[in-house]
């Protein structure tokens, strides 16, 4: 792997991961939760509902898993952009669309298959809209912009 591609993947994963987890933490805090609960819920994909009994240990695991997942999604986007230059050229369009794809796969496929067994359609409409907007502006768009900037 070329160093520039690896650096792009790591940077994009860090930026999108930080924006996404920050937005999710703020949203959770506004609704009576908080960052620790958000981090633990990510670990719930591996541990199930027992994640909330694990304190800071499961929160740390969830945070690490979150950044790993963001980096994998970034790697997919960056690699695809090498074959499909439109992903870089049209970052302002393709990034938000990618954010929607990430949302649909995570909430529609990954979470239901995880130890958490989350049901995709059990979300309130406002929660669903908020999650989609977070994925558009805090996941897909930053990944596309970092890719465009770094892989010209």
């Amino acid at each position: 792997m070329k160093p520039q591609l690896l650096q792009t993947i790591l940077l994009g994963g860090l930026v999108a991961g930080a924006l996404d987890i920050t937005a999710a933490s703020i949203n959770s805090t506004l609704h009576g939760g908080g960052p620790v609960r958000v981090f633990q819920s990510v670990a719930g994909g591996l541990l199930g509902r027992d994640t909330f009994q694990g304190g800071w240990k499961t929160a740390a695991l969830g945070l690490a898993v979150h950044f790993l997942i963001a980096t994998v999604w970034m790697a997919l986007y960056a690699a695809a952009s090498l074959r499909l230059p439109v992903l870089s050229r049209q970052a302002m369009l393709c990034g938000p669309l990618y954010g929607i794809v990430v949302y649909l796969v995570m909430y529609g496929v990954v979470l239901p298959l995880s130890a958490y067994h989350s049901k995709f359609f059990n979300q309130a409409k406002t929660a669903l809209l908020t999650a989609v907007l977070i994925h558009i502006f805090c996941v897909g768009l930053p990944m596309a912009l970092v890719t465009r900037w770094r892989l010209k």
Side-chain angles (χ1 to χ4, degrees):
M1 183 180 300
K2 294 180 182 178
Q4 184 177 0
L5 178 59
L6 180 59
Q7 290 170 356
T8 300
I9 291 167
L10 294 175
L11 178 62
L14 179 64
V15 169
L19 290 171
D20 180 36
I21 204 75
T22 300
S25 295
I26 291 168
N27 186 49
S28 177
T29 300
L30 292 173
H31 292 94
V36 170
R37 187 149 177 91
V38 171
F39 303 163
Q40 289 173 325
S41 70
V42 176
L46 300 173
L47 305 174
R49 302 228 179 257
D50 291 341
T51 190
F52 299 109
Q53 309 311 313
W56 285 99
K57 288 180 184 177
T58 57
L61 174 62
L63 190 60
V65 168
H66 170 77
F67 278 99
L68 174 65
I69 292 168
T71 302
V72 168
W73 281 110
M74 179 60 193
L76 291 171
Y77 193 89
S81 76
L82 297 176
R83 301 254 181 198
L84 301 167
V86 68
L87 296 176
S88 292
R89 282 195 312 265
Q90 298 295 323
M92 296 297 287
L93 172 65
C94 294
L97 292 175
Y98 189 63
I100 294 169
V101 168
V102 171
Y103 171 81
L104 290 172
V105 172
M106 292 303 298
Y107 282 78
V109 179
V110 175
L111 286 176
L113 294 175
S114 74
Y116 208 41
H117 301 298
S118 175
K119 298 266 190 289
F120 180 64
F121 295 107
N122 278 359
Q123 293 182 335
K125 286 182 176 56
T126 56
L128 188 137
L129 178 61
T130 300
V132 170
L133 289 173
I134 288 172
H135 278 80
I136 287 171
F137 293 107
C138 297
V139 177
L141 185 58
M143 287 181 180
L145 292 174
V146 167
T147 299
R148 181 176 70 187
W149 172 52
R150 297 283 302 159
L151 297 180
K152 293 180 191 176

mmCIF file with all atom_site columns, all heavy atoms in Angstrom, residues 57-77:
data_model
loop_
_atom_site.group_PDB
_atom_site.id
_atom_site.type_symbol
_atom_site.label_atom_id
_atom_site.label_alt_id
_atom_site.label_comp_id
_atom_site.label_asym_id
_atom_site.label_entity_id
_atom_site.label_seq_id
_atom_site.pdbx_PDB_ins_code
_atom_site.Cartn_x
_atom_site.Cartn_y
_atom_site.Cartn_z
_atom_site.occupancy
_atom_site.B_iso_or_equiv
_atom_site.pdbx_formal_charge
_atom_site.auth_seq_id
_atom_site.auth_comp_id
_atom_site.auth_asym_id
_atom_site.auth_atom_id
_atom_site.pdbx_PDB_model_num
ATOM 1   N N   . LYS A 1 57 ? -14.325 0.261  31.083 1.00 0.00 ? 57 LYS A N   1
ATOM 2   C CA  . LYS A 1 57 ? -13.663 -0.755 30.248 1.00 0.00 ? 57 LYS A CA  1
ATOM 3   C C   . LYS A 1 57 ? -14.432 -0.962 28.942 1.00 0.00 ? 57 LYS A C   1
ATOM 4   O O   . LYS A 1 57 ? -13.831 -0.990 27.864 1.00 0.00 ? 57 LYS A O   1
ATOM 5   C CB  . LYS A 1 57 ? -13.531 -2.074 31.001 1.00 0.00 ? 57 LYS A CB  1
ATOM 6   C CG  . LYS A 1 57 ? -12.508 -2.034 32.097 1.00 0.00 ? 57 LYS A CG  1
ATOM 7   C CD  . LYS A 1 57 ? -12.417 -3.374 32.797 1.00 0.00 ? 57 LYS A CD  1
ATOM 8   C CE  . LYS A 1 57 ? -11.443 -3.270 33.957 1.00 0.00 ? 57 LYS A CE  1
ATOM 9   N NZ  . LYS A 1 57 ? -11.381 -4.520 34.715 1.00 0.00 ? 57 LYS A NZ  1
ATOM 10  N N   . THR A 1 58 ? -15.742 -1.116 29.055 1.00 0.00 ? 58 THR A N   1
ATOM 11  C CA  . THR A 1 58 ? -16.504 -1.306 27.816 1.00 0.00 ? 58 THR A CA  1
ATOM 12  C C   . THR A 1 58 ? -16.617 -0.002 27.036 1.00 0.00 ? 58 THR A C   1
ATOM 13  O O   . THR A 1 58 ? -16.697 -0.029 25.807 1.00 0.00 ? 58 THR A O   1
ATOM 14  C CB  . THR A 1 58 ? -17.906 -1.906 28.090 1.00 0.00 ? 58 THR A CB  1
ATOM 15  O OG1 . THR A 1 58 ? -18.619 -1.069 28.997 1.00 0.00 ? 58 THR A OG1 1
ATOM 16  C CG2 . THR A 1 58 ? -17.795 -3.317 28.654 1.00 0.00 ? 58 THR A CG2 1
ATOM 17  N N   . ALA A 1 59 ? -16.584 1.134  27.720 1.00 0.00 ? 59 ALA A N   1
ATOM 18  C CA  . ALA A 1 59 ? -16.576 2.425  27.015 1.00 0.00 ? 59 ALA A CA  1
ATOM 19  C C   . ALA A 1 59 ? -15.299 2.561  26.183 1.00 0.00 ? 59 ALA A C   1
ATOM 20  O O   . ALA A 1 59 ? -15.356 2.972  25.015 1.00 0.00 ? 59 ALA A O   1
ATOM 21  C CB  . ALA A 1 59 ? -16.705 3.576  28.010 1.00 0.00 ? 59 ALA A CB  1
ATOM 22  N N   . ALA A 1 60 ? -14.166 2.193  26.763 1.00 0.00 ? 60 ALA A N   1
ATOM 23  C CA  . ALA A 1 60 ? -12.887 2.267  26.030 1.00 0.00 ? 60 ALA A CA  1
ATOM 24  C C   . ALA A 1 60 ? -12.884 1.305  24.846 1.00 0.00 ? 60 ALA A C   1
ATOM 25  O O   . ALA A 1 60 ? -12.424 1.655  23.751 1.00 0.00 ? 60 ALA A O   1
ATOM 26  C CB  . ALA A 1 60 ? -11.722 1.966  26.971 1.00 0.00 ? 60 ALA A CB  1
ATOM 27  N N   . LEU A 1 61 ? -13.412 0.109  25.063 1.00 0.00 ? 61 LEU A N   1
ATOM 28  C CA  . LEU A 1 61 ? -13.511 -0.854 23.960 1.00 0.00 ? 61 LEU A CA  1
ATOM 29  C C   . LEU A 1 61 ? -14.389 -0.285 22.851 1.00 0.00 ? 61 LEU A C   1
ATOM 30  O O   . LEU A 1 61 ? -14.032 -0.350 21.668 1.00 0.00 ? 61 LEU A O   1
ATOM 31  C CB  . LEU A 1 61 ? -14.085 -2.181 24.465 1.00 0.00 ? 61 LEU A CB  1
ATOM 32  C CG  . LEU A 1 61 ? -14.384 -3.230 23.389 1.00 0.00 ? 61 LEU A CG  1
ATOM 33  C CD1 . LEU A 1 61 ? -13.105 -3.648 22.662 1.00 0.00 ? 61 LEU A CD1 1
ATOM 34  C CD2 . LEU A 1 61 ? -15.092 -4.435 24.010 1.00 0.00 ? 61 LEU A CD2 1
ATOM 35  N N   . GLY A 1 62 ? -15.522 0.282  23.212 1.00 0.00 ? 62 GLY A N   1
ATOM 36  C CA  . GLY A 1 62 ? -16.425 0.855  22.222 1.00 0.00 ? 62 GLY A CA  1
ATOM 37  C C   . GLY A 1 62 ? -15.791 1.986  21.438 1.00 0.00 ? 62 GLY A C   1
ATOM 38  O O   . GLY A 1 62 ? -15.963 2.083  20.221 1.00 0.00 ? 62 GLY A O   1
ATOM 39  N N   . LEU A 1 63 ? -15.031 2.825  22.118 1.00 0.00 ? 63 LEU A N   1
ATOM 40  C CA  . LEU A 1 63 ? -14.361 3.931  21.430 1.00 0.00 ? 63 LEU A CA  1
ATOM 41  C C   . LEU A 1 63 ? -13.340 3.399  20.429 1.00 0.00 ? 63 LEU A C   1
ATOM 42  O O   . LEU A 1 63 ? -13.268 3.875  19.286 1.00 0.00 ? 63 LEU A O   1
ATOM 43  C CB  . LEU A 1 63 ? -13.700 4.859  22.450 1.00 0.00 ? 63 LEU A CB  1
ATOM 44  C CG  . LEU A 1 63 ? -13.168 6.177  21.917 1.00 0.00 ? 63 LEU A CG  1
ATOM 45  C CD1 . LEU A 1 63 ? -14.268 7.015  21.282 1.00 0.00 ? 63 LEU A CD1 1
ATOM 46  C CD2 . LEU A 1 63 ? -12.490 6.953  23.040 1.00 0.00 ? 63 LEU A CD2 1
ATOM 47  N N   . ALA A 1 64 ? -12.575 2.391  20.841 1.00 0.00 ? 64 ALA A N   1
ATOM 48  C CA  . ALA A 1 64 ? -11.587 1.790  19.934 1.00 0.00 ? 64 ALA A CA  1
ATOM 49  C C   . ALA A 1 64 ? -12.280 1.135  18.730 1.00 0.00 ? 64 ALA A C   1
ATOM 50  O O   . ALA A 1 64 ? -11.848 1.318  17.581 1.00 0.00 ? 64 ALA A O   1
ATOM 51  C CB  . ALA A 1 64 ? -10.742 0.769  20.685 1.00 0.00 ? 64 ALA A CB  1
ATOM 52  N N   . VAL A 1 65 ? -13.358 0.406  18.981 1.00 0.00 ? 65 VAL A N   1
ATOM 53  C CA  . VAL A 1 65 ? -14.095 -0.247 17.903 1.00 0.00 ? 65 VAL A CA  1
ATOM 54  C C   . VAL A 1 65 ? -14.688 0.799  16.957 1.00 0.00 ? 65 VAL A C   1
ATOM 55  O O   . VAL A 1 65 ? -14.664 0.631  15.731 1.00 0.00 ? 65 VAL A O   1
ATOM 56  C CB  . VAL A 1 65 ? -15.191 -1.178 18.470 1.00 0.00 ? 65 VAL A CB  1
ATOM 57  C CG1 . VAL A 1 65 ? -16.160 -1.643 17.390 1.00 0.00 ? 65 VAL A CG1 1
ATOM 58  C CG2 . VAL A 1 65 ? -14.560 -2.377 19.176 1.00 0.00 ? 65 VAL A CG2 1
ATOM 59  N N   . HIS A 1 66 ? -15.189 1.881  17.530 1.00 0.00 ? 66 HIS A N   1
ATOM 60  C CA  . HIS A 1 66 ? -15.762 2.952  16.701 1.00 0.00 ? 66 HIS A CA  1
ATOM 61  C C   . HIS A 1 66 ? -14.731 3.487  15.701 1.00 0.00 ? 66 HIS A C   1
ATOM 62  O O   . HIS A 1 66 ? -15.028 3.630  14.503 1.00 0.00 ? 66 HIS A O   1
ATOM 63  C CB  . HIS A 1 66 ? -16.267 4.095  17.583 1.00 0.00 ? 66 HIS A CB  1
ATOM 64  C CG  . HIS A 1 66 ? -16.647 5.299  16.808 1.00 0.00 ? 66 HIS A CG  1
ATOM 65  N ND1 . HIS A 1 66 ? -17.825 5.393  16.091 1.00 0.00 ? 66 HIS A ND1 1
ATOM 66  C CD2 . HIS A 1 66 ? -15.992 6.461  16.586 1.00 0.00 ? 66 HIS A CD2 1
ATOM 67  C CE1 . HIS A 1 66 ? -17.870 6.547  15.467 1.00 0.00 ? 66 HIS A CE1 1
ATOM 68  N NE2 . HIS A 1 66 ? -16.781 7.221  15.761 1.00 0.00 ? 66 HIS A NE2 1
ATOM 69  N N   . PHE A 1 67 ? -13.523 3.781  16.175 1.00 0.00 ? 67 PHE A N   1
ATOM 70  C CA  . PHE A 1 67 ? -12.498 4.314  15.275 1.00 0.00 ? 67 PHE A CA  1
ATOM 71  C C   . PHE A 1 67 ? -12.023 3.259  14.277 1.00 0.00 ? 67 PHE A C   1
ATOM 72  O O   . PHE A 1 67 ? -11.701 3.593  13.136 1.00 0.00 ? 67 PHE A O   1
ATOM 73  C CB  . PHE A 1 67 ? -11.337 4.927  16.064 1.00 0.00 ? 67 PHE A CB  1
ATOM 74  C CG  . PHE A 1 67 ? -11.639 6.327  16.513 1.00 0.00 ? 67 PHE A CG  1
ATOM 75  C CD1 . PHE A 1 67 ? -12.078 6.582  17.794 1.00 0.00 ? 67 PHE A CD1 1
ATOM 76  C CD2 . PHE A 1 67 ? -11.518 7.390  15.636 1.00 0.00 ? 67 PHE A CD2 1
ATOM 77  C CE1 . PHE A 1 67 ? -12.385 7.871  18.206 1.00 0.00 ? 67 PHE A CE1 1
ATOM 78  C CE2 . PHE A 1 67 ? -11.817 8.690  16.025 1.00 0.00 ? 67 PHE A CE2 1
ATOM 79  C CZ  . PHE A 1 67 ? -12.253 8.931  17.317 1.00 0.00 ? 67 PHE A CZ  1
ATOM 80  N N   . LEU A 1 68 ? -12.024 2.010  14.670 1.00 0.00 ? 68 LEU A N   1
ATOM 81  C CA  . LEU A 1 68 ? -11.687 0.933  13.734 1.00 0.00 ? 68 LEU A CA  1
ATOM 82  C C   . LEU A 1 68 ? -12.721 0.878  12.608 1.00 0.00 ? 68 LEU A C   1
ATOM 83  O O   . LEU A 1 68 ? -12.367 0.805  11.428 1.00 0.00 ? 68 LEU A O   1
ATOM 84  C CB  . LEU A 1 68 ? -11.609 -0.408 14.455 1.00 0.00 ? 68 LEU A CB  1
ATOM 85  C CG  . LEU A 1 68 ? -11.399 -1.628 13.553 1.00 0.00 ? 68 LEU A CG  1
ATOM 86  C CD1 . LEU A 1 68 ? -10.041 -1.561 12.859 1.00 0.00 ? 68 LEU A CD1 1
ATOM 87  C CD2 . LEU A 1 68 ? -11.531 -2.909 14.349 1.00 0.00 ? 68 LEU A CD2 1
ATOM 88  N N   . ILE A 1 69 ? -13.985 0.931  12.975 1.00 0.00 ? 69 ILE A N   1
ATOM 89  C CA  . ILE A 1 69 ? -15.053 0.899  11.972 1.00 0.00 ? 69 ILE A CA  1
ATOM 90  C C   . ILE A 1 69 ? -14.964 2.110  11.041 1.00 0.00 ? 69 ILE A C   1
ATOM 91  O O   . ILE A 1 69 ? -15.077 1.977  9.818  1.00 0.00 ? 69 ILE A O   1
ATOM 92  C CB  . ILE A 1 69 ? -16.440 0.827  12.655 1.00 0.00 ? 69 ILE A CB  1
ATOM 93  C CG1 . ILE A 1 69 ? -16.616 -0.525 13.345 1.00 0.00 ? 69 ILE A CG1 1
ATOM 94  C CG2 . ILE A 1 69 ? -17.565 1.080  11.645 1.00 0.00 ? 69 ILE A CG2 1
ATOM 95  C CD1 . ILE A 1 69 ? -17.818 -0.583 14.281 1.00 0.00 ? 69 ILE A CD1 1
ATOM 96  N N   . ALA A 1 70 ? -14.736 3.288  11.602 1.00 0.00 ? 70 ALA A N   1
ATOM 97  C CA  . ALA A 1 70 ? -14.610 4.497  10.770 1.00 0.00 ? 70 ALA A CA  1
ATOM 98  C C   . ALA A 1 70 ? -13.439 4.361  9.799  1.00 0.00 ? 70 ALA A C   1
ATOM 99  O O   . ALA A 1 70 ? -13.541 4.762  8.631  1.00 0.00 ? 70 ALA A O   1
ATOM 100 C CB  . ALA A 1 70 ? -14.431 5.731  11.659 1.00 0.00 ? 70 ALA A CB  1
ATOM 101 N N   . THR A 1 71 ? -12.353 3.778  10.257 1.00 0.00 ? 71 THR A N   1
ATOM 102 C CA  . THR A 1 71 ? -11.174 3.613  9.405  1.00 0.00 ? 71 THR A CA  1
ATOM 103 C C   . THR A 1 71 ? -11.437 2.598  8.294  1.00 0.00 ? 71 THR A C   1
ATOM 104 O O   . THR A 1 71 ? -10.994 2.785  7.153  1.00 0.00 ? 71 THR A O   1
ATOM 105 C CB  . THR A 1 71 ? -9.953  3.218  10.259 1.00 0.00 ? 71 THR A CB  1
ATOM 106 O OG1 . THR A 1 71 ? -9.753  4.237  11.253 1.00 0.00 ? 71 THR A OG1 1
ATOM 107 C CG2 . THR A 1 71 ? -8.700  3.090  9.422  1.00 0.00 ? 71 THR A CG2 1
ATOM 108 N N   . VAL A 1 72 ? -12.175 1.553  8.592  1.00 0.00 ? 72 VAL A N   1
ATOM 109 C CA  . VAL A 1 72 ? -12.527 0.567  7.555  1.00 0.00 ? 72 VAL A CA  1
ATOM 110 C C   . VAL A 1 72 ? -13.414 1.221  6.498  1.00 0.00 ? 72 VAL A C   1
ATOM 111 O O   . VAL A 1 72 ? -13.178 1.047  5.295  1.00 0.00 ? 72 VAL A O   1
ATOM 112 C CB  . VAL A 1 72 ? -13.218 -0.664 8.180  1.00 0.00 ? 72 VAL A CB  1
ATOM 113 C CG1 . VAL A 1 72 ? -13.845 -1.544 7.109  1.00 0.00 ? 72 VAL A CG1 1
ATOM 114 C CG2 . VAL A 1 72 ? -12.215 -1.465 9.010  1.00 0.00 ? 72 VAL A CG2 1
ATOM 115 N N   . TRP A 1 73 ? -14.415 1.990  6.929  1.00 0.00 ? 73 TRP A N   1
ATOM 116 C CA  . TRP A 1 73 ? -15.277 2.684  5.955  1.00 0.00 ? 73 TRP A CA  1
ATOM 117 C C   . TRP A 1 73 ? -14.458 3.663  5.115  1.00 0.00 ? 73 TRP A C   1
ATOM 118 O O   . TRP A 1 73 ? -14.684 3.813  3.917  1.00 0.00 ? 73 TRP A O   1
ATOM 119 C CB  . TRP A 1 73 ? -16.429 3.407  6.648  1.00 0.00 ? 73 TRP A CB  1
ATOM 120 C CG  . TRP A 1 73 ? -17.545 2.486  7.025  1.00 0.00 ? 73 TRP A CG  1
ATOM 121 C CD1 . TRP A 1 73 ? -17.904 2.091  8.283  1.00 0.00 ? 73 TRP A CD1 1
ATOM 122 C CD2 . TRP A 1 73 ? -18.456 1.839  6.141  1.00 0.00 ? 73 TRP A CD2 1
ATOM 123 N NE1 . TRP A 1 73 ? -18.987 1.240  8.231  1.00 0.00 ? 73 TRP A NE1 1
ATOM 124 C CE2 . TRP A 1 73 ? -19.351 1.066  6.929  1.00 0.00 ? 73 TRP A CE2 1
ATOM 125 C CE3 . TRP A 1 73 ? -18.625 1.832  4.764  1.00 0.00 ? 73 TRP A CE3 1
ATOM 126 C CZ2 . TRP A 1 73 ? -20.368 0.297  6.375  1.00 0.00 ? 73 TRP A CZ2 1
ATOM 127 C CZ3 . TRP A 1 73 ? -19.653 1.072  4.210  1.00 0.00 ? 73 TRP A CZ3 1
ATOM 128 C CH2 . TRP A 1 73 ? -20.505 0.315  5.017  1.00 0.00 ? 73 TRP A CH2 1
ATOM 129 N N   . MET A 1 74 ? -13.505 4.337  5.750  1.00 0.00 ? 74 MET A N   1
ATOM 130 C CA  . MET A 1 74 ? -12.639 5.265  5.023  1.00 0.00 ? 74 MET A CA  1
ATOM 131 C C   . MET A 1 74 ? -11.777 4.512  4.017  1.00 0.00 ? 74 MET A C   1
ATOM 132 O O   . MET A 1 74 ? -11.584 4.980  2.891  1.00 0.00 ? 74 MET A O   1
ATOM 133 C CB  . MET A 1 74 ? -11.769 6.057  6.009  1.00 0.00 ? 74 MET A CB  1
ATOM 134 C CG  . MET A 1 74 ? -10.825 7.024  5.351  1.00 0.00 ? 74 MET A CG  1
ATOM 135 S SD  . MET A 1 74 ? -11.711 8.269  4.373  1.00 0.00 ? 74 MET A SD  1
ATOM 136 C CE  . MET A 1 74 ? -10.346 8.961  3.442  1.00 0.00 ? 74 MET A CE  1
ATOM 137 N N   . ALA A 1 75 ? -11.265 3.375  4.411  1.00 0.00 ? 75 ALA A N   1
ATOM 138 C CA  . ALA A 1 75 ? -10.433 2.578  3.499  1.00 0.00 ? 75 ALA A CA  1
ATOM 139 C C   . ALA A 1 75 ? -11.239 2.161  2.266  1.00 0.00 ? 75 ALA A C   1
ATOM 140 O O   . ALA A 1 75 ? -10.728 2.211  1.136  1.00 0.00 ? 75 ALA A O   1
ATOM 141 C CB  . ALA A 1 75 ? -9.889  1.351  4.222  1.00 0.00 ? 75 ALA A CB  1
ATOM 142 N N   . LEU A 1 76 ? -12.490 1.788  2.478  1.00 0.00 ? 76 LEU A N   1
ATOM 143 C CA  . LEU A 1 76 ? -13.340 1.412  1.350  1.00 0.00 ? 76 LEU A CA  1
ATOM 144 C C   . LEU A 1 76 ? -13.556 2.590  0.400  1.00 0.00 ? 76 LEU A C   1
ATOM 145 O O   . LEU A 1 76 ? -13.479 2.442  -0.823 1.00 0.00 ? 76 LEU A O   1
ATOM 146 C CB  . LEU A 1 76 ? -14.682 0.880  1.858  1.00 0.00 ? 76 LEU A CB  1
ATOM 147 C CG  . LEU A 1 76 ? -14.642 -0.456 2.579  1.00 0.00 ? 76 LEU A CG  1
ATOM 148 C CD1 . LEU A 1 76 ? -15.992 -0.759 3.226  1.00 0.00 ? 76 LEU A CD1 1
ATOM 149 C CD2 . LEU A 1 76 ? -14.232 -1.566 1.636  1.00 0.00 ? 76 LEU A CD2 1
ATOM 150 N N   . TYR A 1 77 ? -13.823 3.767  0.970  1.00 0.00 ? 77 TYR A N   1
ATOM 151 C CA  . TYR A 1 77 ? -14.064 4.943  0.130  1.00 0.00 ? 77 TYR A CA  1
ATOM 152 C C   . TYR A 1 77 ? -12.796 5.342  -0.619 1.00 0.00 ? 77 TYR A C   1
ATOM 153 O O   . TYR A 1 77 ? -12.836 5.598  -1.829 1.00 0.00 ? 77 TYR A O   1
ATOM 154 C CB  . TYR A 1 77 ? -14.572 6.123  0.962  1.00 0.00 ? 77 TYR A CB  1
ATOM 155 C CG  . TYR A 1 77 ? -15.120 7.230  0.097  1.00 0.00 ? 77 TYR A CG  1
ATOM 156 C CD1 . TYR A 1 77 ? -16.458 7.232  -0.274 1.00 0.00 ? 77 TYR A CD1 1
ATOM 157 C CD2 . TYR A 1 77 ? -14.308 8.260  -0.383 1.00 0.00 ? 77 TYR A CD2 1
ATOM 158 C CE1 . TYR A 1 77 ? -16.981 8.228  -1.097 1.00 0.00 ? 77 TYR A CE1 1
ATOM 159 C CE2 . TYR A 1 77 ? -14.814 9.256  -1.201 1.00 0.00 ? 77 TYR A CE2 1
ATOM 160 C CZ  . TYR A 1 77 ? -16.145 9.230  -1.554 1.00 0.00 ? 77 TYR A CZ  1
ATOM 161 O OH  . TYR A 1 77 ? -16.656 10.216 -2.378 1.00 0.00 ? 77 TYR A OH  1
#
